[in-house]
Amino acid sequence: MASQDWMTKDFYAVLGVAKDADSAAIKKAYRNLAKKYHPDRNPDDAAAAEKFKEIGEAYAVLSDSKEREQYDAIRSMAGGGARFTPGADGGGAGFEDIFSSMFGGGGGNVRFSTSGGAEPDIDELLRQFGAAGGGAGGYGGRRARSPFGFGGFGSQPEPIKGPDVVTSATLSLRDAVAGTTVELVADGRTMTVRIPAGVHSGQKIRLRGKGRPGRNGGESGDMVVTITVDKHPVYSIDGANLRMDLPVTLKEAALGATVEVPLLDGTTTRIKIKPCTSSGTVMRVRGKGIATSKKTGDLLVTVQVAVPRKLSRAAKEALEAFDSAMESDPRASLAQEASA
């Protein structure tokens, strides 16, 4: 952006901040406006795109203390805060005096002139000043950087990371446990993506560099994949563990038994049910859960006493006899505990 444009552009008004606003207020205003007018939120909106550019120009200058100081000085010239004459012969302050005081000296060998009262070319003045001041204190050797490539002289645009791409993948429980390779369509592209073992529903996987390309040499964005795992009739995922319900008979729960339990890989294992095991008791089969890069989980087996839907006459009589033989009422203390 030509520095002579600074005379006509009110960057404080663009950002909606006071001229004495601190850096935090300027940054906050910029973030709010940039979010509002960002091209991703206003596609094909030329007015929003132009506003976004203006916001970037303003922030690039006001967020840099040296740029802001220079901008304020130039705006002061335009606003009548200082009067300029072609040189000392007119009795007023010459441009060399003003720029020497503004930029800490080094301007004594620079000669500026105007003719016929014409408005000075600020860019030309600063180029001359940079040539005289050199890289140590002048602006000639300075390479300012900003997110939008505005501000400073000889400025270079800041690398900007590309936007992320959001998509989703639905897996079977077996694929979620073992890990799998899926083909995803996102942002108009078809990509083959490796899903690691042990993912669960609602989990978000970030794939670095699989998003949209960056700008000005910036890195590509990421792909964010939200995982959904289909329900399985037997197993469910709990972190690195697998869970399942194990139906047992009343006799097995009351008297104890050794029963066979199926595993996800198609094999089986045997677990021992202790006598007088209540429904809802959780038993742990170690090392039979999900194998991830960090650890291998367990299989958590929840005992569920199966109640038959229909009973024969003999079964009913047997249960009546069993109930009569019971020595205690399982709800004897329930009312008292409930009122505690």
Side-chain angles (χ1 to χ4, degrees), residues 82-98 112-115 117:
R83 299 290 181 180
F84 304 99
T85 66
D89 292 342
F95 276 112
E96 58 268 38
D97 300 322
I98 298 297
F112 308 98
S113 64
T114 63
S115 60

Side-chain angles (χ1 to χ4, degrees), residues 40 61 67 80 99 108 116 122 138 177 203 220 230 249 256 292 304 336:
D40 287 350
V61 173
E67 295 282 348
F99 276 80
I122 301 300
V177 169
Q203 182 175 347
S220 295
D230 284 336
T249 66
T292 69
Q304 297 289 355
Q336 182 179 356

Side-chain angles (χ1 to χ4, degrees), residues 69-70 73-74 77 97-105 126 129:
E69 179 182 0
Q70 180 183 329
I74 291 176
M77 298 179 200
D97 300 322
I98 298 297
F99 276 80
S100 178
S101 62
M102 281 172 57
F103 302 113
L126 292 174
F129 178 81

